[in-house]
Amino acid sequence: MTILVTGGAGFIGSNFVLDWLALSDEPVVNLDKLTYAGNLTNLTCLDDDARHVFVQGDLGDRALADRLLAKYRPRAVVNFAAESHVDRSIHGPEDFVQTNIVGTFRLLEAVRAYWGSLPEAEKVAFRFLHISTDEVYGTLSKDDPPFAETNANEPNSPYSASKAASDHLVRAWHHTYGLPVLTTNCSNNYGPFHFPEKLIPLMIVNALAGKPLPVYGDGMQVRDWLYVKDHCSAIRRVLKGGRLGETYNIGGWNEKPNIEIVHTVCALLDELCPKADGRSYKTQITHVQDRPGHDRRYAIDARKIERELGWKPAETFETGIRKTVQWYLDHPEWVANVQRGTYRKWVAKQYKETNE
Ligand SMILES: NC(=O)c1ccc[n+]([C@@H]2O[C@H](COP(=O)([O-])OP(=O)(O)OC[C@H]3O[C@@H](n4cnc5c(N)ncnc54)[C@H](O)[C@@H]3O)[C@@H](O)[C@H]2O)c1
């Protein structure tokens, strides 16, 4: 048996692939376009591992998807691939429409054709798991209850709109064609291999480089935070036991304003890697103009996945953020590779021959 993962060289996808192969021998075919966010150095420990087949390509390449599905006959597809950064979606929404909407549509069509051709037992066992975000639900005010699966989609950024559109396609492919789909909507992830354009790794990397720590507006935007390994365990749980056609919210029960996150990162760095001059990294914090349309609060009601599938996060924010800061301190070469862009050259050199 095999699973096909898209976007498995990105932040969450690479953590998922590593955990999957650490926990089972079931091979993974990893289809990733290797945009700026795809980093195969995350997976160097799998270089000689035959259970990991890497294929550079676009999830919207129908012919490629058809070929991979026919060749590897996966029992499941887990769709992580996406353009994922809100700021980039504001400056250039087109890629988000292409990858997140058109790409998901083409993948769904390829999977539908493949699934339709399977013998009955394999057809019944097959799953298409779509990875989505809490941002599709829009924004909450201070006293609103957290997002439940029954909340309406009210996306506010080009990113969240494109993810909501892809969620709707997945839902429709179930209701119209009977495709056995599952969707997860998760809150903000943090942990190893997080590209330093996102809040937590950006703060760690800038702090260590002596650069300003840019906080949008008043920093009181509230997010729910989940350690990435907990997200991966939730995905495995939904893949195994989720009810077909259902959506599962995944969250860490960890609502915090951004400014508190930044203070926590600074305090951990003060402890683990004190500055030579004895001052706190907090002195590097600077408030910058807020992002247009910046959602004020996200919060996730993750009771359904706990009730139905018995999943709960293993890490608290305190344990997860400490592991994360320590990981960045232990991997300066990973950070340097990302900052210099050398990971992209390495990829081209190493993986040229293995591309399909
Ligand atoms: N990061 C979060 O906090 C978070 C939270 C909830 C949900 N999600 C969702 O989880 C998924 C993964 O997020 P991430 O943070 O790992 O993203 P990421 O940007 O780190 O990784 C995305 C990966 O997809 C690949 N990719 C992009 N366009 C592609 C295309 N057209 N074809 C094939 N591959 C392509 C990239 O090369 C990259 O490896 C996304 O669908 C995102 O919406 C992320």
Side-chain angles (χ1 to χ4, degrees):
M1 298 223 271
T2 297
I3 63 164
L4 172 65
V5 164
T6 70
F11 163 48
I12 304 172
S14 59
N15 275 288
F16 180 82
V17 169
L18 290 168
D19 286 3
W20 183 270
L21 292 175
L23 293 166
S24 86
D25 275 334
E26 186 174 6
V28 176
V29 178
N30 182 354
L31 170 64
D32 194 299
K33 188 177 174 182
L34 298 180
T35 66
Y36 78 95
N39 184 348
L40 275 179
T41 67
N42 299 359
L43 300 171
T44 39
C45 66
L46 301 176
D47 277 354
D48 300 319
D49 193 328
R51 299 172 306 162
H52 179 234
V53 177
F54 180 76
V55 182
Q56 184 172 6
D58 195 313
L59 87 159
D61 181 342
R62 174 68 197 267
L64 176 61
D66 286 343
R67 218 164 48 242
L68 294 176
L69 290 164
K71 180 170 175 184
Y72 295 103
R73 301 186 63 77
R75 68 165 177 98
V77 172
V78 185
N79 185 31
F80 291 95
E83 289 290 341
S84 71
H85 190 39
V86 176
D87 287 343
R88 285 179 190 258
S89 83
I90 294 168
H91 297 300
E94 175 116 20
D95 284 348
F96 289 72
V97 171
Q98 275 309 324
T99 287
N100 300 359
I101 306 178
V102 179
T104 302
F105 156 71
R106 296 219 177 109
L107 181 67
L108 279 168
E109 280 294 82
V111 169
R112 180 164 76 91
Y114 164 71
W115 172 74
S117 73
L118 291 173
E120 197 53 28
E122 288 174 45
K123 208 172 168 184
V124 169
F126 185 82
R127 296 289 180 270
F128 181 94
L129 171 46
H130 180 62
I131 309 300
S132 192
T133 165
D134 60 355
E135 301 193 29
V136 299
Y137 297 119
T139 188
L140 295 168
S141 48
K142 197 169 145 283
D143 299 320
D144 286 336
F147 299 129
E149 289 82 354
T150 46
N151 274 51
N153 277 200
E154 293 177 347
N156 291 322
S157 73
Y159 164 64
S160 54
S162 67
K163 289 298 290 186
S166 66
D167 295 8
H168 289 317
L169 291 174
V170 171
R171 177 188 157 88
W173 261 238
H174 175 67
H175 285 272
T176 304
Y177 303 114
L179 196 70
V181 306
L182 299 152
T183 299
T184 55
N185 294 86
C186 187
S187 57
N188 277 26
N189 284 215
Y190 66 97
F193 304 119
H194 206 181
F195 199 81
E197 63 180 355
K198 306 277 173 85
L199 181 71
I200 289 177
L202 180 71
M203 294 302 141
I204 299 172
V205 166
N206 276 14
L208 293 172
K211 292 185 182 165
L213 306 181
V215 173
Y216 279 133
D218 60 4
M220 289 307 291
Q221 307 84 0
V222 173
R223 303 289 181 261
D224 175 71
W225 292 91
L226 182 69
Y227 190 61
V228 64
K229 304 278 178 195
D230 277 329
H231 188 187
C232 294
S233 76
I235 293 167
R236 292 193 301 273
R237 192 70 62 92
V238 172
L239 187 59
K240 193 167 178 198
R243 284 188 293 131
L244 294 186
E246 291 291 315
T247 290
Y248 292 90
N249 280 353
I250 304 173
W253 301 104
N254 255 317
E255 268 188 70
K256 297 199 187 300
N258 285 347
I259 190 70
E260 193 180 320
I261 300 291
V262 178
H263 282 162
T264 304
V265 166
C266 289
L268 278 166
L269 286 172
D270 288 342
E271 177 196 327
L272 299 169
C273 186
K275 279 165 71 139
D277 63 8
R279 299 176 74 204
S280 170
Y281 288 97
K282 282 183 196 159
T283 56
Q284 291 167 231
I285 294 173
T286 53
H287 289 265
V288 298
Q289 193 183 4
D290 207 352
R291 171 193 275 167
H294 206 173
D295 288 337
R296 206 61 189 160
R297 174 175 167 243
Y298 305 140
I300 275 276
D301 178 344
R303 281 179 297 178
K304 178 176 171 183
I305 187 172
E306 181 173 353
R307 192 174 60 244
E308 290 192 11
L309 302 174
W311 177 88
K312 271 201 297 201
E315 300 288 346
T316 62
F317 186 70
E318 288 65 33
T319 59
I321 192 70
R322 181 173 283 275
K323 284 183 184 175
T324 304
V325 171
Q326 190 63 57
W327 186 88
Y328 279 86
L329 290 172
D330 292 343
H331 294 84
E333 72 298 338
W334 184 90
V335 173
N337 259 333
V338 169
Q339 287 178 322
R340 288 197 298 262
T342 39
Y343 70 104
R344 304 204 72 183
K345 295 192 191 103
W346 184 91
V347 157
K349 194 167 126 277
Q350 293 291 319
Y351 279 86
K352 210 164 164 218
E353 303 77 25
T354 58
N355 298 342
E356 292 274 304

